[in-house]
Amino acid sequence: MSPSLIAPVVEEENKKYQRGVKHLCDKGLTKVPTKYIWPEQDRPIFTKPDKLIKPKQNLKLPIIDFAELLGPNRPQVLRTITEACETYGFFQVVNHGMEGDVSRNMIEVCKRFFELPYEERSKYMTSDMSAPVRYGTSFNQSKDNVFCWRDFLKLFAHPLPDYLPYWPSSPSDFRSLAATYAKETKELFEMMVKAILESLEIDGNEDEAAKELEEGSQLVVVNCYPPCPEPELTLGMPPHSDYGFLTLLLQDDVEGLQILYRDEWVTVDPIPGSFVVNVGDHLEIFSNGRYKSVLHRVLVNSIKPRISVASLHSFPLTSVVKPSPHLIDERNPPQYMETDFATFLQYVSSREPKWKNFLESRKIHRIR
Ligand SMILES: O=C(O)CCC(=O)C(=O)O
Ligand SMILES: [Fe+2]
């Protein structure tokens, strides 16, 4: 059947599952519905009944001590950042200065949001990807052929006063706790940008892009992964790279995040109170391919619910993203086309986001 004939059939079927995973689990469930079963080659490898086979290699992500970054050891820390961004596309940040209460309160209030009755949560359900608040399930719930085991709440967060009035009013302390979290994450992002630019030997005080990033976009994505009766058959999130410049990820104490490292999926051990920071597609473009936006995915488990909060930061939605002129010369021609948010939206809303296909579509292929 041609794609134009299949699409309406999928959209009709998807309506049955649009209320999301939490709703499904609340009704009681002992098996994963077919809609959530991934093709065998995409599934995580478990032994029976649901014990995850750990990869041979146990990955320790580079750890950046933020306090050190602000002290005399800055040059050394910057070198670690460079290595981490070139090799893994990921690192973990400790001693970042955000009070433990701010991140704990955020996780806790998000848990309470997902425990609200479905009718309350679904007030924010919309297919409009530029809505200030969007509640939903899977990745693209009207288009996905296979669903992932994840419900989400997405909040546009910068400039905050423009968006805050649209954020959920229940639980009653949601807005204030989430606003504090968003503001402090933004500050942390700005310090991270300075370090990243310096690590690329770009002077942040002179650079146009650095100024744009200060007034850039921020999207806070809260992910909720309820326990799954058959975690070996599904994924919390399929392999993807993040769209923005940098993502600052906060997780509770339940593991689930895996990154692709040397063609193997490796689990990231959560360090309580730390942030996992990863290079997004825009930083890969901006650094002209020097820093890599690496594929990652999320596994679920049969016992513990998991919450993560990803804060995606980038240029303003109206900006055109391109390789930095400071990194381009005769020997280093641009590797990526200029790209904007509208092109991205058009791309993702017309197909399933898979692997790094958006970024791939922006690459310039030269014949040597
Ligand atoms: O839940 C996680 O650990 C990762 C979430 C993620 O990759 C995302 O929101 O883009
Ligand atoms: Fe991600």
Side-chain angles (χ1 to χ4, degrees):
M1 235 194 285
S2 81
S4 61
L5 291 175
I6 294 171
V9 177
V10 171
E11 280 178 31
E12 201 45 47
E13 190 203 30
N14 286 10
K15 283 189 189 145
K16 282 198 279 183
Y17 297 98
Q18 302 225 333
R19 275 173 285 195
V21 190
K22 185 74 178 41
H23 181 79
L24 209 59
C25 293
D26 288 347
K27 291 197 303 183
L29 204 69
T30 52
K31 285 191 113 24
V32 166
T34 313
K35 186 77 195 167
Y36 295 85
I37 301 182
W38 283 73
E40 214 158 284
Q41 68 274 18
D42 295 335
R43 291 180 208 162
I45 306 169
F46 283 78
T47 55
K48 296 282 180 275
D50 67 356
K51 194 117 193 64
L52 181 67
I53 297 178
K54 294 268 182 194
K56 292 181 282 307
Q57 192 157 8
N58 200 4
L59 183 79
K60 288 260 171 285
L61 278 184
I63 295 179
I64 303 296
D65 185 326
F66 219 74
E68 291 264 305
L69 190 61
L70 305 176
N73 284 341
R74 188 172 177 90
Q76 199 180 320
V77 182
L78 290 176
R79 275 197 296 277
T80 314
I81 292 182
T82 300
E83 258 171 52
C85 293
E86 287 176 349
T87 315
Y88 303 96
F90 272 80
F91 52 89
Q92 307 213 52
V93 175
V94 297
N95 272 334
H96 40 67
M98 184 189 286
E99 292 281 337
D101 274 358
V102 175
S103 49
R104 274 192 297 274
N105 287 344
M106 180 63 179
I107 295 274
E108 194 263 339
V109 78
C110 291
K111 264 190 193 147
R112 282 189 279 126
F113 172 82
F114 284 101
E115 279 158 12
L116 292 172
Y118 171 72
E119 290 65 32
E120 186 62 37
R121 282 176 278 139
S122 63
K123 281 182 188 168
Y124 306 98
M125 191 118 93
T126 167
S127 57
D128 176 5
M129 293 183 78
S130 47
V133 180
R134 190 155 74 94
Y135 176 76
T137 193
S138 195
F139 234 98
N140 181 342
Q141 66 197 54
S142 59
K143 297 261 169 20
D144 296 347
N145 287 320
V146 183
F147 267 26
C148 45
W149 200 263
R150 163 237 198 189
D151 296 336
F152 63 78
L153 178 69
K154 298 191 178 185
L155 308 161
F156 273 103
H158 190 79
L160 196 54
D162 289 0
Y163 295 119
L164 198 55
Y166 299 98
W167 286 13
S169 49
S170 183
S172 58
D173 49 352
F174 183 89
R175 276 188 201 165
S176 68
L177 296 175
T180 304
Y181 179 78
K183 269 188 275 184
E184 296 206 7
T185 327
K186 174 94 173 132
E187 283 167 21
L188 197 55
F189 164 73
E190 280 163 21
M191 289 197 278
M192 292 297 333
V193 167
K194 288 202 174 86
I196 293 273
L197 293 179
E198 211 175 317
S199 76
L200 288 166
E201 293 170 21
I202 295 173
D203 182 352
N205 296 320
E206 296 288 310
D207 192 61
E208 238 355 87
K211 291 196 195 95
E212 279 191 53
L213 282 168
E214 257 177 48
E215 277 320 306
S217 59
Q218 180 181 14
L219 178 67
V220 175
V221 181
V222 186
N223 300 301
C224 167
Y225 310 97
C228 172
E230 296 172 294
E232 65 279 14
L233 299 181
T234 191
L235 290 169
M237 235 193 250
H240 67 282
S241 62
D242 290 351
Y243 166 73
F245 192 85
L246 279 183
T247 301
L248 273 59
L249 179 82
L250 178 72
Q251 6 174 20
D252 61 13
D253 54 358
V254 183
E255 66 177 38
L257 173 65
Q258 291 197 317
I259 73 171
L260 194 63
Y261 177 66
R262 295 189 175 155
D263 291 331
E264 223 177 335
W265 287 107
V266 286
T267 304
V268 174
D269 282 333
I271 303 179
S274 73
F275 279 95
V276 171
V277 177
N278 63 290
V279 173
D281 293 352
H282 286 169
L283 177 50
E284 180 167 330
I285 295 175
F286 178 79
S287 69
N288 202 27
R290 192 160 159 209
Y291 289 175
K292 295 282 182 265
S293 121
V294 162
L295 285 172
H296 51 288
R297 68 177 188 182
V298 178
L299 306 190
V300 289
N301 74 82
S302 60
I303 302 160
K304 288 188 174 172
R306 178 168 182 268
I307 294 270
S308 72
V309 183
S311 191
L312 280 70
H313 300 261
S314 197
F315 297 101
L317 298 180
T318 48
S319 290
V320 174
V321 184
K322 53 181 180 294
S324 167
H326 302 289
L327 303 176
I328 301 293
D329 57 31
E330 260 177 32
R331 285 170 53 209
N332 298 291
Q335 306 284 343
Y336 302 83
M337 286 176 255
E338 296 189 351
T339 187
D340 60 17
F341 191 59
T343 315
F344 172 72
L345 275 190
Q346 200 182 15
Y347 192 92
V348 287
S349 53
S350 64
R351 69 200 79 207
E352 274 191 276
K354 234 192 153 209
W355 306 95
K356 288 177 70 160
N357 52 9
F358 176 67
L359 194 59
E360 289 303 325
S361 76
R362 308 309 299 162
K363 269 197 183 148
I364 298 171
H365 297 280
R366 288 196 170 75
I367 303 158
R368 286 177 190 269

